[in-house]
Amino acid sequence: EAQVTQNPRYLITVTGKKLTVTCSQNMNHEYMSWYRQDPGLGLRQIYYSMNVEVTDKGDVPEGYKVSRKEKRNFPLILESPSPNQTSLYFCASSSSLYSAGATNYGYTFGSGTRLTVV
Amino acid sequence: DQQVKQNSPSLSVQEGRISILNCDYTNSMFDYFLWYKKYPAEGPTFLISISSIKDKNEDGRFTVFLNKSAKHLSLHIVPSQPGDSAVYFCAASASNDYKLSFGAGTTVTVRA
């Protein structure tokens, strides 16, 4: 089954304790991205990757790191988590750029990771 | 600065009636628009999309309308069913760009 898998689904941690949220896709997609969802703000992009070893900042990258050593994996790293990073996180992947006339463009999302930093 | 805006955080509708969800965007480079549906404890799933070369796209009970001059799109669900109760996100993209920009979402509740 084609899917994006995130782990863990739920995580409670303390301020300053490094953590990693894993993301893996089995669709051979080039593009992967991390979003966070917060009430009233919707989904905001944290980081994205166009391909292996190619990553860039999204709209809210502060306090996060990513790596893309393999095509299928795109972990999100919080070196020193703070309470304002308490959120619902989604990993997503896509196979192609959108181009005019395309009908199948879009993201496949993981099921989400609910992170609480106390 | 959000480039995609959904100004109605919630919508309550009677089963069998029409649900209309609205979305506005500010970036004139956007030329592809999508709606995603999200249930609690799940990731968003693709619902329907529309290219800027069209003004309407229909898929079963779901129709998306695009008004480029007003930078506005809407999603119509007819008839609304209890299983449609979910959060709906509007998203937009520009040609030759991977990034999707999302709105804040509208929570739809369908009353029996």
Side-chain angles (χ1 to χ4, degrees):
Chain A
E1 178 189 354
Q3 60 185 2
V4 176
T5 304
Q6 292 178 231
N7 280 297
R9 290 293 308 274
Y10 302 91
L11 179 59
I12 300 174
T13 189
V14 295
T15 299
K17 185 176 181 181
K18 181 179 178 180
L19 66 91
T20 300
V21 183
T22 64
C23 174
S24 180
Q25 51 94 3
N26 62 359
M27 296 165 283
N28 201 37
H29 284 171
E30 289 82 21
Y31 182 81
M32 298 185 74
S33 181
W34 277 101
Y35 283 82
R36 59 179 286 175
Q37 181 190 352
D38 300 291
L41 297 174
L43 292 158
R44 294 180 294 166
Q45 190 181 54
I46 303 170
Y47 267 94
Y48 64 94
S49 171
M50 304 280 280
N51 214 322
V52 175
E53 303 291 2
V54 181
T55 64
D56 207 348
K57 297 177 181 178
D59 300 317
V60 287
E62 295 77 21
Y64 304 94
K65 285 176 57 178
V66 293
S67 69
R68 188 91 182 271
K69 294 184 170 60
E70 307 165 278
K71 198 172 188 179
R72 64 183 291 122
N73 295 323
F74 190 45
L76 179 69
I77 303 156
L78 285 73
E79 295 270 3
S80 182
S82 61
N84 65 11
Q85 293 178 297
T86 292
S87 187
L88 179 58
Y89 291 86
F90 290 101
C91 181
S93 71
S94 176
S95 61
S96 62
L97 290 168
Y98 167 68
S99 59
T103 58
N104 61 350
Y105 175 75
Y107 291 178
T108 301
F109 281 89
S111 297
T113 296
R114 184 165 292 282
L115 172 65
T116 302
V117 183
V118 298
Chain B
D1 182 32
Q2 278 197 298
Q3 299 182 72
V4 178
K5 298 179 182 179
Q6 295 175 257
N7 292 319
S8 296
S10 63
L11 172 69
S12 180
V13 63
Q14 190 85 30
E15 181 179 1
R17 305 295 289 267
I18 184 172
S19 295
I20 300 177
L21 291 76
N22 293 303
C23 178
D24 298 293
Y25 61 96
T26 57
N27 188 340
S28 58
M29 298 301 292
F30 288 153
D31 57 3
Y32 189 68
F33 306 90
L34 309 91
W35 287 92
Y36 280 81
K37 179 178 181 179
K38 184 185 175 305
Y39 292 119
E42 295 182 11
T45 55
F46 171 77
L47 184 60
I48 192 170
S49 64
I50 187 167
S51 165
S52 61
I53 60 176
K54 297 184 175 181
D55 54 19
K56 175 183 175 181
N57 189 28
E58 192 171 352
D59 183 2
R61 297 185 295 113
F62 303 91
T63 303
V64 56
F65 296 92
L66 175 63
N67 182 335
K68 291 187 290 294
S69 61
K71 293 191 177 67
H72 176 84
L73 63 154
S74 62
L75 174 68
H76 292 208
I77 307 174
V78 184
S80 299
Q81 298 175 353
D84 296 330
S85 296
V87 178
Y88 291 78
F89 290 101
C90 175
S93 180
S95 291
N96 300 317
D97 192 356
Y98 280 103
K99 182 180 178 180
L100 285 180
S101 296
F102 287 84
T106 297
T107 300
V108 172
T109 303
V110 180
R111 307 185 310 273

